[in-house]
Amino acid sequence: MILLIGFGNPFRRDDGAGPALALKIASMGVRSEVRVLTPQQLTPELAEELAAPDVSAVLFIDASVAGAAAAGAPAPDSCPALSVVESNPGNSCLGHHFSPSTLLAYSRSLYGASPPAWLLSVPGHDFGYGEGFSDETDRLLPAALGKAVELLRLLP
Amino acid sequence: MAKTLRIEPITRIEGHAKVTIFLDESGQVSEARLHVVEFRAFEKFCIGRPFYEMPGITNRICGICPTSHALASVKAGDAIMGVAIPPVAAKLRRIFNWAQYVQSHALSFFHLSAPDLLLGFDHDPATRNVIGLVEKYPEVARRGIRLRGIGQEIIRILADRSIHQAWAVPGGVRQPLTAEKRDAIAAMLPEAFETIGLALDLLKNSFSRFTDEAAVYDFPSMFAGLVTPEGGLEHYDGLLRFSACDGTPIEAGIANDRYRDYIEEASEDWSYLKFPFFRSHGPYNRAEYAGMYRVGPLGRLNVCDFAGTPRADEELSAFRGIGNGRTVTSSFHYHYARLIEILFALEKIEQTLNEKDILDDWVRAEAGVNRLHGVGMVEAPRGTLIHDYTVDRNGLITDVNLIVSTGHNNLAMNRTITNIAKHYIKGDSVSEGILNRVEHGIRAYDPCLSCSTHAVGAMPLSIRIIGADGSTVREMVRGQN
């Protein structure tokens, strides 16, 4: 089972890219065993979802102002980026919302489960109130979709 | 030379914020300010929407307390429709709200505050978090996650999903409770009671280590919150009460739609978060904290005359014993108040599920627009939440005023961090532990400052000390979100 977690707020413009992409990917039928979650933000109880015995891999999808840079891509705001999520308790910020790396650390610490995980970051340009995406981010969605599909096909 | 210390952003609170600490010429702290730097434009976003869509829109203000926004919104909708909703619908909404208390307060205590309280303020910051808590208190951490999960699950059982539900609607709720769902909720309660008992014992056993902090967080203020007509603890409906520092009611029971007669909002050019104050104690004067009141768990337990459930009343009595016998004035004890409210919520859920009519299927009143103005007021976990809508005759929103819980506490949060900074900071020599105390002073209120958006890497933690000439004297970076 591949766990797809697309997170963000669809009423904050590009922040909704994560949920929209997760639902789109699921509808494409790339894999038969995919579970989709579309929370507004990552919260601690999601650690239980990561630790479920049938979860073999996790793909987080999020709009990001710095996603491209974090993944070592050429420049921020230029393209969607796929990066491996490392369990990282040391950098835990513990806000009301968590980072994927903190959530993975939760899963490992609490339940002894740390499935392989990736983060697909889609550069966002407009996080104001409203629905729909900015033109810049909208243009990036097909490439983001392509990266996600490629990963899902490669996973065992 | 006068200097400024800045802490930005604050970790473990919602939204974007920073703290500036002003030093005087002698290096002593003169003032601390909490800045909320994200602009909220949600009210304008709502203009032109039908009022019945507002619960679905406003519950996306926040990913943590959508239930509270939904309930305040449907209550404003009830007022616009001019209806009294079916009694069972009100009971189901209350269960919904109490479940929100369980999940939200559990997040605040177990995930955000327990690391400070159980590991200590001076514990290594690399492990002063839930991961560190797991290593030292694995059972507490697991139970904390479970307790939050139980709150979420009750909401999901009622509304078919745990966030952003369309279940609560103006006029009532969409679906009644079934016997199967009632039994599923009831089956989770024994574990929840056990966990909250454990948490209360752990917290109370820690008090002796924090007598200094409890004293530093102690200051006089008014308190505010909803109470039942009899003066009991109230989370969903009731009358708004303002009490003096010693618990004496100043305004014993204000009708919800008259809040503007008592609450005025001021602004500062250094923060987007407004500064509500008690109007008759004005005019606004931040330096003297004129009209300051505290809401949320501490406010509610201080304004009510009693809780209204056996175990919560027993704990309330113990709680008041650590204060002056009637009120507790140290904001450090927001944590204790929060746990008592979880206990109260669990007892109320249990009681309400056992009421004879709880499975009644008459759960929604139907009506159109009968009033052009409606106010919905609930107690969100963080404090009194007000949704105030004006509509045209077609029910389209023409004006919105939202007073969120965190705003009420703005003056008090500034007062708290000023107290902490004055007590612990001498000159620009600032240790991580002291800075964490400043942050903890804010986290005690469990503020939700802007909600709704996030982005990977958007919240690095840096601490800057800036001289009077604007140059950075010192900068500390503690990691990236």
Side-chain angles (χ1 to χ4, degrees), chain B residues 439-461:
Chain B
E439 293 182 338
H440 176 266
I442 299 167
R443 285 199 293 268
Y445 296 85
D446 193 25
C448 198
L449 294 173
S450 64
C451 312
S452 302
T453 192
H454 63 276
V456 175
M459 288 186 70
L461 175 64

Side-chain angles (χ1 to χ4, degrees), chain B residues 120-164:
Chain B
F121 288 103
D122 296 309
H123 190 86
D124 179 359
T127 55
R128 193 185 56 231
N129 50 39
V130 171
I131 306 304
L133 197 66
V134 170
E135 290 172 2
K136 193 164 181 181
Y137 300 99
E139 184 62 12
V140 173
R142 282 193 198 93
R143 281 181 170 274
I145 283 206
R146 279 286 304 148
L147 185 62
R148 177 171 152 79
I150 287 171
Q152 295 278 73
E153 181 63 8
I154 293 171
I155 292 169
R156 193 198 62 75
I157 288 171
L158 287 170
D160 288 336
R161 55 190 300 191
S162 59
I163 61 168
H164 305 150

Side-chain angles (χ1 to χ4, degrees), chain B residues 125-384:
Chain B
T127 55
R128 193 185 56 231
N129 50 39
V130 171
I131 306 304
L133 197 66
V134 170
E135 290 172 2
K136 193 164 181 181
Y137 300 99
E139 184 62 12
V140 173
R142 282 193 198 93
R143 281 181 170 274
I145 283 206
R146 279 286 304 148
L147 185 62
R148 177 171 152 79
I150 287 171
Q152 295 278 73
E153 181 63 8
I154 293 171
I155 292 169
R156 193 198 62 75
I157 288 171
L158 287 170
D160 288 336
R161 55 190 300 191
S162 59
I163 61 168
H164 305 150
Q165 320 80 8
W167 174 74
V169 291
V173 299
R174 286 186 191 277
Q175 296 168 340
L177 187 66
T178 63
E180 185 182 23
K181 287 181 173 182
R182 177 195 59 193
D183 296 346
I185 294 171
M188 292 186 285
L189 296 180
E191 179 189 350
F193 277 117
E194 197 176 321
T195 298
I196 198 62
L198 174 72
L200 278 162
D201 287 344
L202 271 173
L203 180 65
K204 288 188 281 190
N205 288 337
S206 77
F207 285 163
S208 61
R209 299 199 300 273
F210 298 112
T211 52
D212 196 29
E213 284 81 2
V216 170
Y217 291 33
D218 202 343
F219 56 88
S221 80
M222 290 188 291
F223 299 98
L226 293 175
V227 292
T228 66
E230 299 78 24
L233 180 60
E234 174 64 69
H235 286 154
Y236 166 76
D237 211 352
L239 302 166
L240 181 61
R241 176 179 286 186
F242 284 86
S243 294
C245 191
D246 64 359
T248 306
I250 296 172
E251 289 292 341
I254 300 166
N256 292 186
D257 60 359
R258 292 190 58 213
Y259 77 92
R260 284 178 190 268
D261 295 340
Y262 300 90
I263 298 172
E264 190 169 337
E265 293 179 285
S267 299
E268 296 282 357
D269 60 7
W270 43 266
S271 179
Y272 280 119
L273 190 63
K274 291 175 185 173
F275 287 79
F277 63 98
F278 188 62
R279 184 188 290 272
S280 66
H281 286 202
Y284 177 69
N285 182 339
R286 188 175 50 78
E288 295 182 5
Y289 303 102
M292 173 175 65
Y293 57 92
R294 281 177 275 184
V295 301
L298 190 74
R300 288 186 289 261
L301 292 196
N302 281 336
V303 297
C304 73
D305 299 324
F306 57 91
T309 58
R311 292 180 64 182
D313 267 317
E314 193 177 320
E315 279 296 339
L316 181 61
S317 177
F319 174 79
R320 290 179 168 168
I322 63 172
N324 57 24
R326 176 60 179 82
T327 56
V328 174
T329 53
S330 172
S331 286
F332 187 82
H333 292 303
Y334 262 94
H335 304 299
Y336 189 10
R338 207 165 271 127
L339 294 186
I340 294 171
E341 287 202 316
I342 294 179
L343 179 60
F344 173 76
L346 293 170
E347 288 184 287
K348 293 298 287 187
I349 291 171
E350 187 174 56
Q351 283 180 2
T352 308
L353 287 177
N354 286 326
E355 292 189 15
K356 286 180 181 174
D357 62 351
I358 196 66
L359 302 182
D360 194 305
D361 62 1
W362 181 34
V363 293
R364 188 172 183 180
E366 301 284 350
V369 176
N370 290 301
R371 304 280 187 278
L372 298 181
H373 180 233
V375 173
M377 188 180 291
V378 297
E379 284 294 332
R382 290 159 189 81
T384 313

Side-chain angles (χ1 to χ4, degrees), chain B residues 63-126:
Chain B
I64 294 299
C65 40
T67 301
S68 303
H69 281 291
L71 288 176
S73 185
V74 296
K75 286 185 69 184
D78 297 342
I80 288 167
M81 294 161 69
V83 297
I85 68 170
V88 173
K91 291 177 184 179
L92 293 176
R93 283 185 185 177
R94 285 178 180 276
I95 294 174
F96 195 53
N97 198 36
W98 287 317
Q100 158 79 352
Y101 271 72
V102 172
Q103 69 89 2
S104 179
H105 281 354
L107 177 68
S108 174
F109 181 77
F110 288 97
H111 300 278
L112 309 185
S113 299
D116 290 330
L117 299 172
L118 301 183
L119 300 175
F121 288 103
D122 296 309
H123 190 86
D124 179 359

Side-chain angles (χ1 to χ4, degrees), chain A residues 4-10 15 18-19 22 36-43 45-46 60-62 103, chain B residues 63 161-164 454:
Chain A
L4 274 181
I5 304 179
F7 58 107
N9 185 346
D15 199 40
V36 181
L37 301 173
T38 56
Q40 186 162 310
Q41 57 202 46
L42 300 181
T43 46
E45 62 274 12
L46 287 172
F60 295 96
I61 309 173
D62 186 25
L103 202 56
Chain B
R161 55 190 300 191
S162 59
I163 61 168
H164 305 150
H454 63 276

Side-chain angles (χ1 to χ4, degrees), chain B residues 366-444:
Chain B
E366 301 284 350
V369 176
N370 290 301
R371 304 280 187 278
L372 298 181
H373 180 233
V375 173
M377 188 180 291
V378 297
E379 284 294 332
R382 290 159 189 81
T384 313
L385 173 64
I386 302 169
H387 281 217
D388 182 340
Y389 305 157
T390 304
V391 298
D392 64 17
R393 292 174 69 170
N394 295 313
L396 301 179
I397 298 285
T398 58
D399 191 32
V400 174
N401 188 39
L402 305 178
I403 300 185
V404 297
S405 318
T406 298
H408 295 289
N409 279 332
N410 203 359
L411 277 170
M413 288 191 292
N414 278 276
R415 173 69 186 263
T416 303
I417 60 172
T418 296
N419 280 16
I420 294 168
K422 283 183 174 178
H423 186 81
Y424 289 107
I425 296 176
K426 307 298 179 191
D428 60 5
S429 175
V430 182
S431 72
E432 203 282 338
I434 291 172
L435 289 170
N436 190 50
R437 281 180 166 82
V438 173
E439 293 182 338
H440 176 266
I442 299 167
R443 285 199 293 268

